[in-house]
Each structure stands twice: as structure tokens, then as C-alpha cells.
Amino acid sequence: MDIFRNLAEINVDVLREVGNIGAGHAATALSRLVDKPIDMAVPAVRMLPFDEIAEQVGGPEQLVIATFLRVEGDAPGNLFFILKPHASKKLLRSLSGIEVISDDDYTEMEISALSEIGNILAGSYLSSLADFTGLYMTPTVPALAIDMAGAILSFGLMQFGQMGDGALLIDTTFLEGDEEVEGQFFLIPDPSSFAKIFRALGVPYE
């Protein structure tokens, strides 16, 4: 797994630019959706092994809200956007004015709003990656789950049949007035897709 850490150190500028452009596109789309200014920042972009994803969100037993989908096209893979419950509550309140009473019991309206936010993020980040690489990459219809991080990742593995052994992590911070909400976006290319993506980015990959 050292290659992922080396890639993160050597080529972080390329990956960060992909994240920043995606965040800019997402902020514009979200601002139109809620009709008020929304900014987004990308404080960190890095590669990490698949088995470290759950630790990045607080451990396998951490309750999370996850939007997940399949990426199709030239470089297929899987994508997850993960929020902790307190972050999802802040996000719903700041973007939509929705007050969530329970961490683990969401209304249909709340789930729909979180799904739409995840869908916008997925489309924005994949679009920026496709622009950078020249590869065709498109998301399927997203699904949303509220469960422990380990269970969601295991379900994704069963649902999609395969997972690559590394992930591109983009930390994402939503900014609306004085409110900050942190979430994490994981792109997990299929094993055969890693070489295609990094070759297209001009990044050495062995």
C-alpha cells in the first residue's frame, strides 16, 4: 500500500486541484438549489488503502449517513459521500432550514435533501475528474444509507461486486455564513481503473 501514500505525497497538487474544481462546481449547484450563497473548501486530498476508510470517519462502528453509487464509463468504480449525524443535521439546517430531531430517524424530506446534496457532489467531483483526465465517467442513481460505517462499506462491496484496494479521499467543508459542515468523499476505482486515471493525469503509477 505504500504506493498510495507516495502518490498522495508526490502528486497531491494534481489531486487537490481536481477536488477544488469539483468543490467549486458543487458550491455553484448547491447555491442554485437553495437560492443562497454556499461556499465549499477542500482542506485535504489524499490516497489511502480501502481498509482505512472506516477509520477516517471514526471507526467501523461509527454511525454515518452515506450516499453511495456506482461510477460507470472508462474508469469504473464506487463512490461514497459520508457525513456523521451531527454534520448532516447542521447541513440540513444551514442549506434547507430543516431541523432534524433524531440522529438515526430521518423523514422522507430529509433523506431526499441529503440524497440530492450527495448527487450534486458526486456529479461535480466526477465531472472535474473527467475534465482533467479526458475519461468518460458518469454516476448511477445514488442510494442513501444510515448505518455503521463498516456495515455500509461491506454492503457496498456486496452490492457492487468488487472494490479497488485504494481510495481517493477528498475532505469537504461546506461554508454558509458562520456555519461549517465537514464531510468526506471517497472515490474507490476498480482495480483496473487506477492505472487509467493516473496515466491520464500524467501521474507516475507502478
Side-chain angles (χ1 to χ4, degrees):
M1 295 301 177
D2 287 345
I3 186 169
F4 301 131
R5 296 186 177 88
N6 291 339
L7 282 169
E9 292 171 5
I10 297 169
N11 304 291
V12 68
D13 288 343
V14 175
L15 298 175
R16 189 177 181 84
E17 187 64 16
V18 171
N20 283 330
I21 292 175
H25 292 168
T28 299
L30 287 172
S31 294
R32 289 174 180 162
L33 179 69
V34 300
D35 196 26
K36 61 181 177 181
I38 301 292
D39 290 321
M40 289 177 60
V42 177
V45 178
R46 59 191 182 276
M47 298 294 300
L48 72 162
F50 175 81
D51 57 11
E52 292 183 12
I53 293 177
E55 295 302 326
Q56 293 295 318
V57 297
E61 297 184 359
Q62 170 68 50
L63 182 69
V64 296
I65 294 84
T67 301
F68 59 98
L69 52 87
R70 180 75 179 160
V71 178
E72 298 180 340
D74 295 332
N78 304 293
L79 185 151
F80 293 80
F81 176 64
I82 297 179
L83 291 163
K84 293 180 181 177
H86 73 276
S88 71
K89 292 172 68 172
K90 287 177 66 177
L91 187 61
L92 287 170
R93 183 173 62 247
S94 64
L95 292 190
S96 308
I98 298 173
E99 287 289 348
V100 180
I101 297 173
S102 171
D103 280 353
D104 56 3
D105 186 17
Y106 289 76
T107 67
E108 187 173 334
M109 180 189 299
E110 293 157 1
I111 289 173
S112 177
L114 288 169
S115 294
E116 183 61 21
I117 291 166
N119 193 25
I120 288 171
L121 281 170
S124 299
Y125 283 129
L126 284 178
S127 176
S128 67
L129 186 58
D131 288 345
F132 255 73
T133 60
L135 298 172
Y136 174 69
M137 302 174 75
T138 185
T140 62
V141 176
L144 187 135
I146 302 170
D147 206 335
M148 292 185 296
I152 286 174
L153 291 168
S154 295
F155 175 78
L157 186 60
M158 291 186 293
Q159 180 81 2
F160 299 128
Q162 63 177 332
M163 289 277 188
D165 54 5
L168 170 62
L169 164 62
I170 302 176
D171 286 329
T172 301
T173 301
F174 298 84
L175 308 166
E176 194 273 315
D178 294 330
E179 287 276 8
E180 290 191 5
V181 181
E182 296 179 355
Q184 290 172 309
F185 172 94
F186 298 92
L187 174 64
I188 309 168
D190 288 357
S192 61
S193 298
F194 256 119
K196 293 179 184 176
I197 291 172
F198 284 106
R199 187 162 53 241
L201 286 170
V203 171
Y205 183 87
E206 297 177 0

